[in-house]
Amino acid sequence: MFDAEVLLPDFWSILDAVPVTLLMAVTVFICSALLGGLFAFIEYRRIPVLHQLVIIYKIAFKGVPMVVVIFLAYYGLPAALHFVATLAGVEVNAHSLPNWVIIIVALSACVAAFQAEVWKGALNSFDRGQSDAALSLGYSGGQLFRRVMFPQIIVAAIPDLANAFMVIMKALSLAFAIEVVDIFAQAQLTAALNFYYLEAFLIAVVFYMVIAWVVTKMADRIEAMLRLRA
């Protein structure tokens, strides 16, 4: 039976997980965007060997479920770090690696494969004739990228980047599998205390919807501002 009286206590309980969830989401977003941008640049330039490796990476991480990658990172990442540290002659207790670090690494690796497609599409939408014109005017490679390419690329990528952020928010619900508490996990924990599961999950839905609305509005405003400047 639905009980409205537990909504407010549940709201404050789940609210505690919102800042942590947003911080992890932003961290994953930045890491995956940078990694995905690097992959897109490699594909755009068709750098030998690296180009083929990027394609293999994208196929692997787009095909394997995120929860599988999370468990692989959970059991494999500490051992891998310990092995690398041993080779380097450094004493590191890699098995004490916090679970939130593991979830950030795992999701960043997964989302980077999708972010690469976002940046690749934005790069392919750029008119290469503008590059030739800028180079003929004496622009260096760095100036060409900063003043001509990037302002147009980022505008084209913003809608998909906003979608990628919301994908990350939803993917973080898998973090509870390795005992990392996000909005969804906090809703589960709150409901487990009073057995009002419907109320707790409705509150979680409200938080997710508000975050999605804010992200969408921010993306639209940033896109409009950048279009005016471009």
Side-chain angles (χ1 to χ4, degrees), residues 71-87 92-97 102:
F71 278 112
L72 286 174
Y74 181 69
Y75 292 108
L77 187 59
L81 288 177
H82 181 75
F83 176 74
V84 172
T86 302
L87 291 178
V92 175
N93 184 13
H95 295 285
S96 64
L97 194 67
I102 294 174

Side-chain angles (χ1 to χ4, degrees), residues 39-135:
F39 291 161
F41 179 78
I42 290 171
E43 284 197 277
Y44 184 74
R45 293 292 186 182
R46 293 190 174 276
I47 300 174
V49 181
L50 292 179
H51 179 231
Q52 285 73 23
L53 290 176
V54 166
I55 292 174
I56 294 171
Y57 179 95
K58 291 197 302 181
I59 291 173
F61 280 91
K62 285 194 290 186
V64 178
M66 287 187 183
V67 68
V68 175
V69 176
I70 289 171
F71 278 112
L72 286 174
Y74 181 69
Y75 292 108
L77 187 59
L81 288 177
H82 181 75
F83 176 74
V84 172
T86 302
L87 291 178
V90 180
E91 288 290 335
V92 175
N93 184 13
H95 295 285
S96 64
L97 194 67
N99 287 355
W100 61 266
V101 173
I102 294 174
I103 199 70
I104 287 173
V105 171
L107 292 185
S108 296
C110 289
V111 179
F114 297 94
Q115 291 271 42
E117 300 294 357
V118 172
W119 292 114
K120 181 182 176 181
L123 282 167
N124 289 334
S125 69
F126 177 73
D127 183 5
R128 297 198 181 193
Q130 296 184 49
S131 298
D132 297 333
L135 292 173

